[in-house]
Amino acid sequence: VTDLSLLDKTKITVLATHGWTGSATDWPTDMALALKSIGVWPLVNVVAWNWPKTAEYLAFAQGKTPDEGVALGTALYANNALGSGYQQQLDFVGHSLGTLVNRYAIDYLQGHANGKMAGASPPWDHINTHVTLLDEAEDASVLSLNPFDWKSPIPSSYAWIDNYISIVGQYHAEAVNVLLQKAPSGLDRKSVV
């Protein structure tokens, strides 16, 4: 959806967040169209969070993920979107820096304060939260303007996490980890790592 007031509060919500230099018209749109083509569309809300201007420069983008995540959480929590009483399952799918944005959105929605920003009150139940990490961006801290400001994609509370690693990303003991053996451009993983 492009208008969050069109979300159906009785449906599961799938939220796709792009990463560095991406936009919602990249893979999030393709994912939404794939869900529609197999008949899932009428059963779920599909939302793509678009933050291309903030995500444009890697050195700045990693430091902006907490603010972007709180903005996403606030937008979903608003009464004209899903509202404070939302009780359905959420699947946060994030790629690269989008995994960090999703983490902060989840923490906000579940009432966990982040620095000077308060969490949602009343909070949403963590038992409804599924997190999908696609080449998560925890290592992006090394390339940011503040390499000591380490940010993890793992939210404070969740029901389930699956973590897909192709070229970048880290193993997470909290997640079901899937190591994809073939990297883009036909390179095998051994030659990339």
Side-chain angles (χ1 to χ4, degrees):
V1 298
T2 55
D3 178 355
L4 294 180
S5 69
L6 298 176
L7 295 175
D8 185 338
K9 297 174 186 179
T10 66
K11 294 181 180 178
I12 292 170
T13 299
V14 176
L15 187 107
T17 307
H18 66 81
W20 173 48
T21 70
S23 78
T25 59
D26 297 336
W27 68 268
T29 299
D30 292 341
M31 184 182 84
L33 292 173
L35 290 173
K36 183 178 182 181
S37 73
I38 61 172
V40 174
W41 189 277
L43 307 174
V44 301
N45 297 308
V46 180
V47 178
W49 187 249
N50 202 20
W51 62 297
K53 290 188 173 144
T54 308
E56 188 173 4
Y57 301 105
L58 182 58
F60 298 106
Q62 188 264 0
K64 298 289 187 184
T65 56
D67 293 338
E68 198 65 40
V70 170
L72 168 56
T74 302
L76 291 172
Y77 195 82
N79 284 331
N80 63 343
L82 295 174
S84 62
Y86 187 66
Q87 297 293 318
Q88 302 301 317
Q89 291 181 345
L90 293 116
D91 187 359
F92 283 84
V93 181
H95 173 253
S96 182
L97 289 174
T99 63
L100 300 179
V101 171
N102 285 352
R103 175 266 170 110
Y104 289 102
I106 293 165
D107 279 351
Y108 171 82
L109 290 167
Q110 294 174 359
H112 301 288
N114 174 26
K116 59 186 174 194
M117 297 179 199
S121 181
W124 289 358
D125 192 346
H126 77 279
I127 200 68
N128 294 324
T129 304
H130 176 213
V131 181
T132 300
L133 307 172
L134 306 172
D135 280 337
E136 58 91 354
E138 187 166 347
D139 290 339
S141 298
V142 174
L143 302 172
S144 74
L145 294 177
N146 185 358
F148 301 106
D149 185 21
W150 207 262
K151 293 177 176 29
S152 171
I154 306 299
S156 298
S157 304
Y158 50 86
W160 181 266
I161 299 175
D162 48 283
N163 180 26
Y164 298 89
I165 305 166
S166 65
I167 296 175
V168 297
Q170 292 187 24
Y171 171 86
H172 289 282
E174 312 89 330
V176 172
N177 295 277
V178 178
L179 178 62
L180 303 173
Q181 294 296 312
K182 195 165 191 165
S185 304
L187 297 173
D188 65 48
R189 182 158 173 76
K190 293 176 188 167
S191 64
V192 175
V193 174

